[in-house]
Amino acid sequence: MSSFQTLPGFREFYPEDLARRNHIFRRWRQAAHAFGFAEYDAPVLEPLDLYKAKSGDEIEGQLFNFTDKGGREVALRPEMTPTVCRLVGAKASALKRPIKWFSIAEFYRYERAQKGRQRSFFQLNADIFGESGPEAEIELIALLIQCLAGFGLTKDDFYVRLSDRDLWFFYLEALGFGDAPARELLGAIDKFEKMGDDTFKTYGEKHGELEPGKKAAILGFMKIRSLDALEREIAGLPQEQLKARVADWRKVLEGVSAMGLGEYVSVDLSVVRGLAYYTGFVFEAFDRQGDLRALAGGGRYDTLVEKLGGPALPAVGFAIGDVTTGLLLEQRGVMPAFVNAPDIYCVIGGAPERLAAFADIHVLRAAGRRVEYPMKELAFGKQFKAAAESGAKLALIYGGDELAKGIVKIRDLTERSEREVPRDQVVSAVRDFFSGQ
RNA sequence: GCGGUCAUAGCUCAGUUGGUUAGAGCACAAGAUUGUGAAUCUUGGGGUCGCGGGUUCGAGUCCCGUUGGCCGCCCCA
């Protein structure tokens, strides 16, 4: 056992693990491409201030940060959003709208690892810039669903909870709350699912006890699970803004329903999402059984590009992580078994036969066939066993008898049948075999 | 940062009130087997019992510490 251990929360990817990871990335990338998103990448190491500007000084405790040899305060990226805001902000005037971008990248957070959470993890980030209407939300929610449905998961496996910070602010305003108490309440609402009634304690200490009538109204608003119920709830309220928001809600829900995804999305105003830079719709994906952490999360952040030094540019985005997604795929049995099988295994007699085989092996490999052969001289019996175990479809047999006759035996390892072909026709015979598959 | 729990071969685990040189299955490798398939048999490599200290004539086993894994709390962009 090595005395050098991996750092806590970091994973090593042996071939089998990497095959699983690549499978996840491949499906994500397929989905993003199908939706017309362009892929980008950016530095892993960023100035520390980039994250402080977005999230405040207290973020430093959760970062892998240090001073580099040039005296710069730097951090391994904990998320993509500030970076992509900078990229887009710098070239905003030259980019065709809407800007639809995605990336698959590794992130680092200095937190205690637990189920579904590591210190290093991968995320797909997808964002739309330059579109202020709910059409962007429709596109991203549909993409998020496809990023999970692409594995064969269905509406019985996961769902997306949709909420709206603007709607909450307008509603709380209608109940008579000012801006600061409203923000405090959103924090409390976010934690209600976990903490229950205690979550309003801090609010009570800061802004005075919550009136029972208002509290009941807030709890009732959180329990709304349909657009109809939402419309009934706000019908008597005077705020025009509320009605405009509900019109946007109708657009989003009609849009995803028209795509056939209605059953994946549920109205759920108990979702608020932690940090305060979200400005409108927010959404999170969860497994239906509810025993995993969130699969994905996102929302609208219309002020962030400008806050980070760019032009005013509306934006919506989400991120989906590899750790929880992988757990869900394993749990539902939709993670394929990855067999690392060659197309062809060569059975080779001795030294002269090996050189003859090499000629064909390289031609086949150059044509893209995956070909393997034993590195050392092995008894024929062993070689046939190895050929069968390798998972190859074909075996090419280069024995002394065959070469003396100017032929090579091609064995179909599935059918267990053999035929002889002249040596100069091996490559075309192999091509014919695989084109017929 | 806090709490619970665990740590013996690559993997899954056994290991008696503390007692000889720490075991099994699987996996890996070699042979039986120099011309045809996942079998069988034989053999082999592989361990600082996570690490450090203590108690003891003697510690994988008991005690303390520490590191790491898992689970949870805080946090979750």
Coordinates of all heavy atoms in Angstrom, one line a residue, chain B residues 18-37:
Chain B
rG18 P -9.0 -11.3 25.4 OP1 -8.5 -11.4 26.8 OP2 -9.0 -9.9 24.8 O5' -8.2 -12.2 24.4 C5' -7.8 -11.7 23.1 C4' -6.3 -12.0 22.9 O4' -5.5 -11.0 23.6 C3' -5.8 -13.3 23.4 O3' -4.8 -13.8 22.5 C2' -5.1 -13.0 24.7 O2' -4.1 -13.9 25.1 C1' -4.5 -11.6 24.3 N9 -4.1 -10.8 25.4 C8 -4.7 -10.6 26.6 N7 -4.1 -9.8 27.4 C5 -2.9 -9.5 26.8 C6 -1.8 -8.8 27.1 O6 -1.6 -8.1 28.2 N1 -0.8 -8.7 26.1 C2 -0.9 -9.4 25.0 N2 0.1 -9.2 24.1 N3 -2.0 -10.1 24.6 C4 -2.9 -10.1 25.5
rG19 P -5.1 -15.2 21.7 OP1 -5.5 -14.6 20.3 OP2 -6.0 -16.1 22.4 O5' -3.7 -15.8 21.6 C5' -2.7 -15.2 20.8 C4' -1.4 -16.1 20.8 O4' -0.8 -15.9 22.1 C3' -1.7 -17.5 20.7 O3' -0.6 -18.1 20.0 C2' -1.7 -18.0 22.1 O2' -1.4 -19.4 22.3 C1' -0.7 -17.2 22.8 N9 -0.9 -16.9 24.2 C8 -2.0 -17.1 25.0 N7 -1.9 -16.7 26.2 C5 -0.6 -16.3 26.3 C6 0.2 -15.8 27.4 O6 -0.2 -15.6 28.6 N1 1.5 -15.5 27.0 C2 2.0 -15.6 25.8 N2 3.3 -15.3 25.6 N3 1.3 -16.1 24.7 C4 0.1 -16.4 25.1
rU20 P -0.5 -18.4 18.4 OP1 -0.9 -17.1 17.8 OP2 -1.3 -19.6 18.1 O5' 1.0 -18.7 18.1 C5' 2.0 -17.9 18.7 C4' 3.4 -18.5 18.3 O4' 3.3 -19.9 18.7 C3' 3.7 -18.5 16.8 O3' 5.1 -18.4 16.7 C2' 3.3 -19.9 16.4 O2' 4.0 -20.3 15.2 C1' 3.6 -20.7 17.6 N1 2.8 -22.0 17.6 C2 3.5 -23.1 17.3 O2 4.6 -23.2 17.0 N3 2.7 -24.2 17.4 C4 1.4 -24.3 17.8 O4 0.8 -25.4 17.8 C5 0.8 -23.0 18.1 C6 1.5 -21.9 18.0
rU21 P 5.8 -17.1 16.2 OP1 7.2 -17.2 16.4 OP2 5.0 -15.9 16.7 O5' 5.5 -17.2 14.6 C5' 6.0 -16.1 13.8 C4' 5.7 -16.4 12.3 O4' 6.4 -17.6 11.9 C3' 4.2 -16.6 12.0 O3' 3.9 -16.0 10.8 C2' 4.1 -18.1 11.9 O2' 3.1 -18.5 11.1 C1' 5.5 -18.4 11.3 N1 5.9 -19.8 11.4 C2 5.8 -20.7 10.3 O2 5.4 -20.2 9.2 N3 6.2 -21.9 10.5 C4 6.6 -22.5 11.7 O4 6.9 -23.7 11.7 C5 6.7 -21.6 12.8 C6 6.3 -20.3 12.6
rA22 P 3.0 -14.7 10.7 OP1 3.5 -13.9 9.6 OP2 2.9 -14.0 12.0 O5' 1.6 -15.3 10.4 C5' 0.8 -15.9 11.4 C4' -0.6 -15.9 11.0 O4' -1.2 -14.5 11.1 C3' -0.8 -16.2 9.5 O3' -1.0 -17.6 9.4 C2' -2.1 -15.4 9.1 O2' -3.3 -16.2 9.5 C1' -2.0 -14.2 10.1 N9 -1.5 -13.0 9.4 C8 -0.2 -12.6 9.2 N7 -0.1 -11.4 8.7 C5 -1.4 -11.0 8.5 C6 -1.9 -9.8 8.0 N6 -1.2 -8.8 7.5 N1 -3.3 -9.7 7.9 C2 -4.0 -10.7 8.4 N3 -3.6 -11.9 8.9 C4 -2.3 -12.0 8.9
rG23 P -0.7 -18.3 7.9 OP1 0.0 -19.6 8.3 OP2 -0.2 -17.4 6.9 O5' -2.2 -18.8 7.6 C5' -2.7 -18.6 6.3 C4' -4.2 -18.8 6.4 O4' -4.8 -17.8 7.3 C3' -4.9 -18.7 5.1 O3' -4.9 -19.9 4.4 C2' -6.4 -18.4 5.6 O2' -7.0 -19.5 6.0 C1' -6.1 -17.4 6.7 N9 -6.0 -16.0 6.3 C8 -4.9 -15.3 6.2 N7 -5.1 -14.0 5.8 C5 -6.5 -14.0 5.7 C6 -7.4 -13.0 5.3 O6 -7.1 -11.8 5.0 N1 -8.7 -13.4 5.3 C2 -9.1 -14.6 5.6 N2 -10.4 -14.9 5.5 N3 -8.3 -15.6 6.0 C4 -7.0 -15.2 6.0
rA24 P -5.0 -19.9 2.8 OP1 -4.6 -21.3 2.3 OP2 -4.4 -18.7 2.3 O5' -6.6 -19.8 2.6 C5' -7.5 -20.8 3.1 C4' -8.9 -20.4 2.8 O4' -9.2 -19.3 3.6 C3' -9.2 -20.0 1.4 O3' -9.5 -21.2 0.6 C2' -10.5 -19.2 1.6 O2' -11.6 -20.0 1.8 C1' -10.1 -18.5 2.9 N9 -9.5 -17.1 2.7 C8 -8.2 -16.8 2.7 N7 -8.0 -15.5 2.4 C5 -9.2 -15.0 2.2 C6 -9.7 -13.7 1.9 N6 -8.9 -12.7 1.8 N1 -11.0 -13.5 1.8 C2 -11.8 -14.6 1.9 N3 -11.5 -15.8 2.2 C4 -10.2 -16.0 2.4
rG25 P -9.2 -21.1 -1.0 OP1 -9.3 -22.5 -1.5 OP2 -8.0 -20.4 -1.2 O5' -10.4 -20.3 -1.5 C5' -11.8 -20.8 -1.5 C4' -12.7 -19.7 -1.9 O4' -12.7 -18.6 -0.9 C3' -12.4 -19.0 -3.2 O3' -12.9 -19.8 -4.3 C2' -13.2 -17.7 -3.0 O2' -14.6 -17.8 -3.2 C1' -12.9 -17.4 -1.6 N9 -11.6 -16.6 -1.4 C8 -10.4 -17.0 -1.1 N7 -9.5 -16.1 -1.0 C5 -10.2 -14.9 -1.3 C6 -9.8 -13.6 -1.4 O6 -8.7 -13.1 -1.3 N1 -10.9 -12.7 -1.8 C2 -12.2 -13.1 -2.0 N2 -13.0 -12.2 -2.3 N3 -12.6 -14.4 -1.9 C4 -11.6 -15.2 -1.6
rC26 P -12.1 -19.7 -5.7 OP1 -12.8 -20.6 -6.6 OP2 -10.7 -19.9 -5.4 O5' -12.3 -18.2 -6.2 C5' -13.6 -17.7 -6.6 C4' -13.7 -16.2 -6.8 O4' -13.3 -15.6 -5.5 C3' -12.7 -15.7 -7.8 O3' -13.1 -15.8 -9.1 C2' -12.6 -14.2 -7.3 O2' -13.7 -13.5 -7.7 C1' -12.6 -14.4 -5.8 N1 -11.2 -14.5 -5.3 C2 -10.5 -13.3 -5.2 O2 -11.1 -12.2 -5.5 N3 -9.2 -13.3 -4.7 C4 -8.7 -14.4 -4.4 N4 -7.4 -14.4 -3.9 C5 -9.3 -15.7 -4.5 C6 -10.6 -15.6 -4.9
rA27 P -12.1 -16.0 -10.3 OP1 -12.9 -16.0 -11.6 OP2 -11.2 -17.2 -10.0 O5' -11.2 -14.7 -10.3 C5' -11.7 -13.5 -10.7 C4' -10.7 -12.4 -10.5 O4' -10.4 -12.3 -9.1 C3' -9.4 -12.6 -11.2 O3' -9.4 -12.2 -12.6 C2' -8.4 -11.7 -10.4 O2' -8.6 -10.4 -10.7 C1' -9.0 -12.0 -9.0 N9 -8.3 -13.1 -8.3 C8 -8.8 -14.3 -8.1 N7 -7.9 -15.1 -7.5 C5 -6.9 -14.3 -7.2 C6 -5.6 -14.6 -6.6 N6 -5.3 -15.7 -6.0 N1 -4.8 -13.5 -6.5 C2 -5.1 -12.3 -7.0 N3 -6.2 -12.0 -7.6 C4 -7.1 -13.0 -7.7
rC28 P -8.5 -13.0 -13.6 OP1 -8.8 -12.4 -14.9 OP2 -8.7 -14.5 -13.4 O5' -7.0 -12.6 -13.2 C5' -6.5 -11.3 -13.3 C4' -5.1 -11.2 -12.8 O4' -5.1 -11.5 -11.3 C3' -4.1 -12.2 -13.3 O3' -3.6 -11.8 -14.6 C2' -3.1 -12.2 -12.3 O2' -2.3 -11.1 -12.3 C1' -3.9 -12.2 -11.0 N1 -4.2 -13.5 -10.4 C2 -3.3 -14.2 -9.7 O2 -2.2 -13.6 -9.5 N3 -3.5 -15.4 -9.2 C4 -4.7 -16.0 -9.4 N4 -4.9 -17.2 -8.9 C5 -5.7 -15.3 -10.2 C6 -5.4 -14.1 -10.7
rA29 P -3.4 -12.9 -15.7 OP1 -3.1 -12.2 -17.0 OP2 -4.5 -14.0 -15.6 O5' -2.1 -13.6 -15.2 C5' -0.8 -12.9 -15.1 C4' 0.2 -13.7 -14.5 O4' -0.1 -14.0 -13.1 C3' 0.5 -15.1 -15.1 O3' 1.2 -15.1 -16.3 C2' 1.1 -15.8 -13.9 O2' 2.5 -15.4 -13.8 C1' 0.4 -15.3 -12.8 N9 -0.8 -16.1 -12.4 C8 -2.1 -15.9 -12.6 N7 -2.9 -16.9 -12.1 C5 -1.9 -17.8 -11.5 C6 -2.1 -19.0 -10.8 N6 -3.3 -19.5 -10.6 N1 -1.0 -19.6 -10.3 C2 0.2 -19.0 -10.6 N3 0.5 -17.9 -11.2 C4 -0.7 -17.3 -11.7
rA30 P 1.1 -16.3 -17.3 OP1 1.9 -15.8 -18.5 OP2 -0.4 -16.6 -17.5 O5' 1.8 -17.5 -16.6 C5' 3.2 -17.5 -16.5 C4' 3.7 -18.7 -15.7 O4' 3.0 -18.7 -14.4 C3' 3.2 -20.0 -16.4 O3' 4.1 -20.4 -17.4 C2' 3.4 -21.0 -15.2 O2' 4.7 -21.3 -14.9 C1' 2.8 -20.1 -14.1 N9 1.3 -20.3 -13.9 C8 0.3 -19.5 -14.4 N7 -0.9 -19.9 -14.0 C5 -0.6 -21.1 -13.4 C6 -1.5 -22.0 -12.7 N6 -2.8 -21.9 -12.7 N1 -0.9 -23.1 -12.1 C2 0.4 -23.2 -12.1 N3 1.3 -22.4 -12.6 C4 0.7 -21.3 -13.3
rG31 P 3.5 -21.3 -18.6 OP1 4.6 -21.5 -19.6 OP2 2.2 -20.8 -19.0 O5' 3.3 -22.7 -17.9 C5' 4.4 -23.5 -17.5 C4' 3.9 -24.7 -16.7 O4' 3.1 -24.2 -15.6 C3' 3.0 -25.7 -17.4 O3' 3.8 -26.6 -18.2 C2' 2.4 -26.4 -16.2 O2' 3.3 -27.3 -15.6 C1' 2.2 -25.3 -15.2 N9 0.8 -24.7 -15.3 C8 0.4 -23.5 -15.9 N7 -0.9 -23.3 -15.8 C5 -1.3 -24.4 -15.1 C6 -2.6 -24.8 -14.7 O6 -3.7 -24.2 -14.9 N1 -2.7 -26.0 -14.0 C2 -1.6 -26.8 -13.7 N2 -1.8 -27.9 -13.1 N3 -0.3 -26.5 -14.1 C4 -0.3 -25.3 -14.8
rA32 P 3.1 -27.3 -19.5 OP1 4.2 -28.0 -20.2 OP2 2.3 -26.2 -20.2 O5' 2.1 -28.3 -18.8 C5' 2.6 -29.4 -18.1 C4' 1.4 -30.2 -17.5 O4' 0.7 -29.3 -16.6 C3' 0.4 -30.7 -18.5 O3' 0.8 -31.9 -19.2 C2' -0.8 -30.9 -17.6 O2' -0.7 -32.1 -16.9 C1' -0.7 -29.7 -16.6 N9 -1.5 -28.6 -17.0 C8 -1.1 -27.4 -17.7 N7 -2.1 -26.6 -17.8 C5 -3.2 -27.1 -17.1 C6 -4.5 -26.7 -16.9 N6 -5.0 -25.6 -17.4 N1 -5.3 -27.5 -16.2 C2 -4.8 -28.7 -15.7 N3 -3.6 -29.2 -15.9 C4 -2.8 -28.4 -16.6
rU33 P 0.2 -32.4 -20.5 OP1 -1.3 -32.1 -20.5 OP2 0.7 -33.8 -20.6 O5' 0.8 -31.7 -21.8 C5' 1.3 -30.4 -21.8 C4' 0.5 -29.6 -22.8 O4' -0.9 -29.7 -22.6 C3' 0.9 -28.1 -22.7 O3' 1.0 -27.5 -24.0 C2' -0.3 -27.5 -21.9 O2' -0.5 -26.2 -22.2 C1' -1.4 -28.4 -22.4 N1 -2.6 -28.4 -21.5 C2 -3.4 -27.3 -21.4 O2 -3.1 -26.3 -22.0 N3 -4.4 -27.4 -20.6 C4 -4.7 -28.5 -19.8 O4 -5.7 -28.4 -19.1 C5 -3.9 -29.6 -19.9 C6 -2.8 -29.5 -20.8
rU34 P 2.5 -27.2 -24.5 OP1 3.4 -28.3 -24.2 OP2 2.9 -25.9 -24.0 O5' 2.3 -27.1 -26.1 C5' 1.1 -26.5 -26.5 C4' 1.2 -26.4 -28.0 O4' 2.4 -25.6 -28.4 C3' 1.4 -27.7 -28.8 O3' 0.8 -27.6 -30.1 C2' 2.9 -27.8 -29.0 O2' 3.3 -28.5 -30.1 C1' 3.2 -26.3 -29.3 N1 4.6 -25.9 -29.0 C2 5.4 -25.8 -30.2 O2 5.0 -26.1 -31.3 N3 6.7 -25.4 -29.9 C4 7.2 -25.1 -28.7 O4 8.4 -24.8 -28.7 C5 6.3 -25.2 -27.6 C6 5.1 -25.6 -27.8
rG35 P -0.3 -28.4 -30.7 OP1 -0.9 -29.3 -29.7 OP2 0.2 -28.9 -31.9 O5' -1.2 -27.2 -31.0 C5' -2.2 -26.7 -30.1 C4' -3.5 -26.5 -30.8 O4' -3.3 -25.6 -31.9 C3' -4.1 -27.8 -31.5 O3' -5.5 -27.7 -31.5 C2' -3.5 -27.8 -32.9 O2' -4.4 -28.4 -33.8 C1' -3.6 -26.2 -33.2 N9 -2.6 -25.8 -34.1 C8 -1.2 -26.1 -34.1 N7 -0.6 -25.6 -35.2 C5 -1.6 -24.9 -35.9 C6 -1.5 -24.1 -37.1 O6 -0.5 -23.9 -37.7 N1 -2.8 -23.6 -37.4 C2 -3.9 -23.8 -36.7 N2 -5.0 -23.3 -37.2 N3 -4.0 -24.5 -35.6 C4 -2.8 -25.0 -35.2
rU36 P -6.3 -28.5 -30.5 OP1 -5.4 -28.8 -29.3 OP2 -7.0 -29.6 -31.2 O5' -7.4 -27.5 -30.0 C5' -7.0 -26.3 -29.2 C4' -8.1 -25.3 -29.2 O4' -8.0 -24.5 -30.3 C3' -9.5 -26.0 -29.3 O3' -10.4 -25.2 -28.5 C2' -9.9 -25.8 -30.7 O2' -11.3 -25.8 -31.0 C1' -9.2 -24.5 -31.1 N1 -8.8 -24.4 -32.5 C2 -9.6 -23.6 -33.3 O2 -10.5 -22.9 -32.9 N3 -9.2 -23.5 -34.6 C4 -8.1 -24.2 -35.2 O4 -7.9 -24.0 -36.4 C5 -7.4 -25.0 -34.3 C6 -7.8 -25.1 -33.0
rG37 P -11.1 -25.9 -27.3 OP1 -10.1 -26.6 -26.5 OP2 -12.3 -26.6 -27.8 O5' -11.6 -24.7 -26.4 C5' -10.8 -24.0 -25.6 C4' -11.5 -22.9 -24.9 O4' -11.7 -21.8 -25.8 C3' -12.9 -23.3 -24.4 O3' -13.3 -22.7 -23.3 C2' -13.8 -22.9 -25.6 O2' -15.1 -22.5 -25.1 C1' -13.1 -21.6 -26.1 N9 -13.3 -21.4 -27.5 C8 -12.8 -22.2 -28.5 N7 -13.1 -21.7 -29.7 C5 -13.9 -20.6 -29.4 C6 -14.5 -19.7 -30.3 O6 -14.5 -19.7 -31.5 N1 -15.2 -18.7 -29.6 C2 -15.3 -18.6 -28.3 N2 -16.0 -17.6 -27.8 N3 -14.7 -19.4 -27.4 C4 -14.0 -20.4 -28.1

